Amino acid sequence: MKPIVFASNRSFSGKSSLCVGIGKILKEKGYKVGYLKPICMLPEKIGNCYVDEDVRYIIDILELKDETKDICPIIFTEQSYDKALKEKIESVNIDYLGSIKQAYESIQKNKDIVLIESARNLTYGSFAGISSRDICLAVNAKVVLIMRYENDVIDKILYFKDYFDSNFSGIIINMVPIEEKDRIDNLIIPFLKKIKIKLFGVIYSDKVLSSVSISDIAKFLDGEILCAEVNATELVDSFMVGAMGHEMALKFFRTKPGKAVITGGDRADIQLAALETNTKCLILTGNFQPSTVVLGRADELGVPMILVKYDTLTTVSKLNEMMGRSNLHEIKKLDKLVEIIKKSVDLEDLLETIK
């Protein structure tokens, strides 16, 4: 079988989740599965090598035995990206694509199939000759586009089909709001059938998959958990911003259970109102330490409080970016992911296109 490159038009479209979920299902079916992430951008050290956080979990989940340096051959942080640009300016020729091809050759030995996860978007790394398209051509892979649902998703599908040309295999539309189901069934799917583009699956938004743990929120925001850290593994699937008076805040917060409340660290009235309702955690902005009264009450109720340096607007923006990330180490999410993929993605059809 040819390798599959899972690529997307934007960050946080679900590439890691689908790679690990499809990988687990294929292993259950008896396939020997390899995995490669050619470009790692958020590296953590494992032994003497660096890999993305998600890659670390994928190695464990898929029980991969390949060398870590092959699974994640290129590290592109902001600093190394700029270093590579400088090398290009100075005509220093580093064969990044050659390193990826060599890593692929090592991984594909004794494998039935290799899943390749592209970088944050389709064109990332183009200047160094390691865009998703460059990698597809180098290893003779088929690409499956993971398209995060947007109103103009069809336009993007058509553009990127031409972009990949003969390496294009088909698409999976991900993170579709359930209220868009009629549009998907009556317009998107019939149109794709008419123009003969393979749709391997449609995955609708799911609260469990789109949730994030309190500890991951703290880590992502570079925040400090001030109390009730024992409950930091709890999952949050919604956020509310508190910027009103106590009475109005109380009514507002009662409309949504299990949320995280974002408010200024100096707004004790809003913090107490949130603690009177079903709240999973409090995110305190502006680096203002809460009062001892609020801190004591939160600790008593087992509600973690996260202190962050950002203002409220920046915090909300960052959390919107974070929602939907894979968090593959959470078993509850992983089991749900596999269940949804089995129900929503036609893997037999996908495998047929890469023979």
Side-chain angles (χ1 to χ4, degrees), residues 160-227:
F160 291 122
K161 176 184 180 294
D162 291 342
Y163 176 80
F164 283 104
D165 196 22
S166 61
N167 293 98
F168 180 81
S169 175
I171 62 166
I172 296 171
I173 304 178
N174 198 20
M175 301 181 188
V176 182
I178 192 63
E179 57 268 23
E180 295 294 320
K181 190 175 189 310
D182 283 347
R183 186 171 189 260
I184 291 288
D185 291 343
N186 298 316
L187 286 175
I188 303 298
I189 293 175
F191 183 82
L192 292 172
K193 282 182 179 177
K194 183 176 178 62
I195 60 175
K196 294 181 171 58
I197 288 181
K198 279 192 172 293
L199 175 64
F200 299 121
V202 176
I203 299 176
Y204 289 90
S205 297
D206 179 87
K207 277 195 171 186
V208 174
L209 293 188
S210 64
S211 63
V212 290
S213 70
I214 293 167
S215 58
D216 280 337
I217 292 171
K219 183 177 180 180
F220 190 75
L221 296 176
D222 196 24
E224 177 188 0
I225 299 178
L226 302 176
C227 65

Side-chain angles (χ1 to χ4, degrees), residues 235-262:
L235 298 179
V236 172
D237 60 41
S238 62
F239 300 94
M240 301 184 85
V241 179
M244 66 289 283
H246 180 274
E247 289 303 318
M248 188 175 292
L250 203 54
K251 292 178 182 177
F252 179 54
F253 294 148
R254 280 174 176 157
T255 63
K256 190 174 289 188
K259 74 273 181 192
V261 171
I262 306 161

Side-chain angles (χ1 to χ4, degrees), residues 245-283:
H246 180 274
E247 289 303 318
M248 188 175 292
L250 203 54
K251 292 178 182 177
F252 179 54
F253 294 148
R254 280 174 176 157
T255 63
K256 190 174 289 188
K259 74 273 181 192
V261 171
I262 306 161
T263 191
D266 56 346
R267 291 299 305 271
D269 55 338
I270 292 178
Q271 294 159 25
L272 288 170
L275 291 172
E276 289 183 52
T277 68
N278 187 335
T279 298
K280 288 281 186 76
C281 81
L282 284 168
I283 301 170

Side-chain angles (χ1 to χ4, degrees), residues 293-339:
V293 173
V294 177
L295 191 58
R297 181 60 175 155
D299 198 36
E300 178 187 345
L301 293 170
V303 177
M305 300 180 79
I306 304 172
L307 183 66
V308 301
K309 63 187 176 182
Y310 305 110
D311 61 35
T312 299
L313 189 62
T314 303
T315 301
V316 171
S317 176
K318 284 182 168 293
L319 288 171
N320 282 333
E321 177 188 344
M322 184 188 190
M323 290 304 287
R325 294 186 75 189
S326 51
N327 307 101
L328 299 173
H329 56 291
E330 293 159 3
I331 298 301
K332 182 180 178 182
K333 294 183 73 170
L334 186 58
D335 291 344
K336 185 68 173 179
L337 171 66
V338 170
E339 175 192 327

Side-chain angles (χ1 to χ4, degrees), residues 14-67:
K15 295 188 302 295
S16 295
S17 295
L18 283 162
C19 275
V20 75
I22 288 173
K24 271 186 71 67
I25 294 167
L26 292 176
K27 280 177 69 72
E28 288 174 7
K29 292 177 177 288
Y31 289 94
K32 295 176 183 175
V33 177
Y35 168 80
L36 169 66
K37 186 166 186 180
I39 307 172
C40 292
M41 301 169 62
L42 298 169
E44 291 189 356
K45 195 168 186 179
I46 297 183
N48 296 321
C49 299
Y50 288 87
V51 297
D52 277 2
E53 180 185 33
D54 280 348
V55 173
R56 177 160 59 90
Y57 293 116
I58 290 172
I59 289 172
D60 291 339
I61 293 165
L62 297 183
E63 300 174 317
L64 303 175
K65 305 302 181 187
D66 300 292
E67 294 287 335

